[in-house]
Amino acid sequence: MRKSWLVIRPWQLPLSFRLERHVPSTLLVLSAVILAVMVLSVGQGEYPIPPLEVLKTLVGLPTANPDYPFIINTLRLPRTLVAFGVGVALGISGTILQGLTRNPLVEPGIIGVNAGASLAAVALIVLFPNVPLFALPVSAFVGALAVAIFIYLLAWDKGSSPIRLILVGVGIAAVISALTTLLITFGEIDSVTQALVWLAGSVYGRSWEHLRSLLPWLAVFVPLSLVWARQLNIISLGDDIARGLGMQVEWQRNLLLLTSAAMAGAAVATAGTISLVGLMAPHLGRQLVGPNHEGLMLTAALMGGLIVVLADWLGRILFAPIEIPCGVITATVGAPYFLYLLIRNRKR
């Protein structure tokens, strides 16, 4: 009987943590940096609040100004937490796609997964402007999943090839972007304005309700991505080796593609199109913990969260009081980084 790697035993999950002792310390330091940046971000705005007062408010201690709890807990903290959650989702989605395609230049936006989520969400905003907030992540997930399945079917030829997935995805992304533009062109002005602001990629005005709509997706698919990290390691070695080790490659690839689409869809639905986080976070994670996905998955998730929180913070302080959407910041930084990776990989 062939051994199936789909059977996950509880003691297998932290395997890389035992083999790579630097992973826990890296995660601890990265978490401390994230907390420090989040405190600074929460205190920054039109009404600056010192970091010590932010900490006092968060732990429930008396503050120097009675307005601090309202400003922090109602206006700024949910926005920062949403930014972190969106970054986590994008970091995981990009890590999975790079592992599946065995291509370090792939991310959800490049192969069309983000485009599918954007099309579904824009269609909901433009055609059904009065739908409840919780419907947006669902529609974006359906859009991302539908596009992922469509790309997978078009790339199928006696099996799924990573290079075909990429090429088909790039073409599908272009078509879907055109359809999204068409929807915006013929939509009502109020809905179109909302859609355009949303497409820029921003966590402006995000509330606890937005965070509550994002958390179920993270609660389900983040653990699944960690559990399936070992399978992604094996797939990254090549289909022939994976089959030789007893893995049901196509079935496992489908599950991982579903997880990636869910993460990308939830992120796009919550904050719009935040570009290239799914490209940068896995690469920065590899520089910290190496290519083993059991350690990389969580590292890239935290790195993605840090990138989006930093982008939102910079967007508020660079040209204050004008706010730059965090999607613009990540695109501005990510585009040169993408070119750097492209040149570096061509030289290899």
Side-chain angles (χ1 to χ4, degrees):
M1 180 181 295
R2 297 174 68 190
K3 183 178 179 181
S4 173
W5 291 98
L6 290 175
V7 179
I8 306 298
R9 297 170 178 82
W11 59 84
Q12 290 178 339
L13 180 59
L15 179 62
S16 66
F17 288 4
R18 297 198 301 270
L19 296 178
E20 301 174 13
R21 296 183 178 180
H22 65 285
V23 172
S25 59
T26 300
L27 294 176
L28 185 62
V29 172
L30 188 56
S31 299
V33 171
I34 291 170
L35 288 175
V37 172
M38 291 177 74
V39 168
L40 294 173
S41 177
V42 168
Q44 185 65 47
E46 186 177 350
Y47 193 83
I49 300 176
L52 182 59
E53 295 298 319
V54 173
L55 291 173
K56 287 182 178 180
T57 302
L58 294 178
V59 298
L61 296 177
T63 59
N65 190 319
D67 293 332
Y68 286 168
F70 172 77
I71 296 173
I72 293 174
N73 295 328
T74 304
L75 302 179
R76 296 182 182 173
L77 182 59
R79 171 177 178 163
T80 303
L81 292 176
V82 166
F84 177 74
V86 167
V88 167
L90 292 173
I92 288 177
S93 181
T95 303
I96 292 174
L97 285 179
Q98 289 181 13
L100 285 179
T101 60
R102 301 192 288 277
N103 189 316
L105 301 179
V106 169
E107 68 111 21
I110 293 175
I111 69 166
V113 176
N114 276 2
S118 297
L119 177 61
V122 168
L124 200 67
I125 292 172
V126 173
L127 301 178
F128 308 98
N130 296 320
V131 295
L133 183 63
F134 70 85
L136 200 58
V138 176
S139 67
F141 167 67
V142 171
L145 181 60
V147 169
I149 293 174
F150 189 51
I151 292 171
Y152 188 82
L153 293 176
L154 288 179
W156 179 270
D157 183 17
K158 300 179 181 179
S160 58
S161 164
I163 188 64
R164 286 199 299 270
L165 285 172
I166 296 170
L167 293 175
V168 172
V170 170
I172 295 299
V175 173
I176 292 176
S177 296
L179 292 176
T180 303
T181 303
L182 187 66
L183 271 175
I184 291 175
T185 301
F186 292 100
E188 295 292 335
I189 185 63
D190 292 339
S191 300
V192 166
T193 302
Q194 181 184 356
L196 287 174
V197 172
W198 178 84
L199 280 173
S202 175
V203 291
Y204 175 79
R206 296 305 183 265
S207 63
W208 291 109
E209 187 177 358
H210 292 88
L211 182 62
R212 283 192 291 268
S213 68
L214 175 64
L215 282 178
W217 300 88
L218 297 178
V220 172
F221 289 101
V222 169
L224 285 178
S225 67
L226 297 177
V227 168
W228 288 334
R230 185 174 183 179
Q231 280 70 13
L232 193 56
N233 281 337
I234 300 172
I235 290 177
S236 300
L237 298 176
D239 291 0
D240 292 338
I241 295 177
R243 291 190 181 96
L245 292 172
M247 174 183 285
Q248 301 175 25
V249 175
E250 297 302 334
W251 175 242
Q252 188 64 55
R253 184 176 283 135
N254 291 340
L255 293 176
L256 286 164
L257 195 60
L258 168 67
T259 302
S260 177
M263 291 282 89
V268 172
T270 305
T273 307
I274 300 181
S275 304
L276 299 177
V277 175
L279 174 74
M280 294 185 288
H283 279 280
L284 296 174
R286 287 188 195 95
Q287 294 179 10
L288 293 176
V289 299
N292 189 335
H293 287 91
E294 290 177 287
L296 174 61
M297 193 71 73
L298 190 54
T299 306
L302 294 179
M303 188 61 70
L306 176 60
I307 290 171
V308 179
V309 171
L310 272 173
D312 179 50
W313 182 28
L314 291 174
R316 280 183 282 143
I317 65 176
L318 288 179
F319 300 100
I322 299 174
E323 289 197 14
I324 307 299
C326 57
V328 175
I329 301 294
T330 59
T332 302
V333 176
Y337 189 70
F338 176 78
L339 293 176
Y340 158 74
L341 292 174
L342 183 62
I343 295 171
R344 189 183 71 175
N345 281 273
R346 285 183 63 184
K347 291 181 178 179
R348 289 182 176 180

